[in-house]
Amino acid sequence: MRCPACTSTRLTSIQIRLAPDEDHTFASCQACEWKGWFKEGSDVPLGKVLSLASERRF
Ligand SMILES: [Zn+2]
């Protein structure tokens, strides 16, 4: 994974399952403090993540 803001590869990441079959990675950049979401190696817009999270059912 590569930071979309500064292209650094120094990302700290954790895996979070937002919904069944929706495994996302939350990443933060050590170089520029960018934070964001990835799925399958591509960055995901925050609005998409929030809509998945709001659909979450327990
Ligand atoms: Zn960065």
Side-chain angles (χ1 to χ4, degrees):
M1 286 190 308
R2 195 173 276 273
C3 173
C6 74
T7 72
S8 170
T9 54
R10 292 167 55 209
L11 298 178
T12 302
S13 63
I14 54 169
Q15 286 268 324
I16 298 177
R17 172 160 285 192
L18 293 171
D21 305 319
E22 291 286 352
D23 285 321
H24 284 61
T25 303
F26 179 74
S28 62
C29 178
Q30 303 293 300
C32 74
E33 300 190 341
W34 175 89
K35 292 182 177 63
W37 294 85
F38 286 90
K39 185 184 183 191
E40 295 164 1
S42 328
D43 57 310
V44 178
L46 182 61
K48 170 73 172 162
V49 172
L50 290 176
S51 75
L52 282 170
S54 68
E55 287 166 12
R56 187 173 183 166
R57 288 177 180 82
F58 293 94

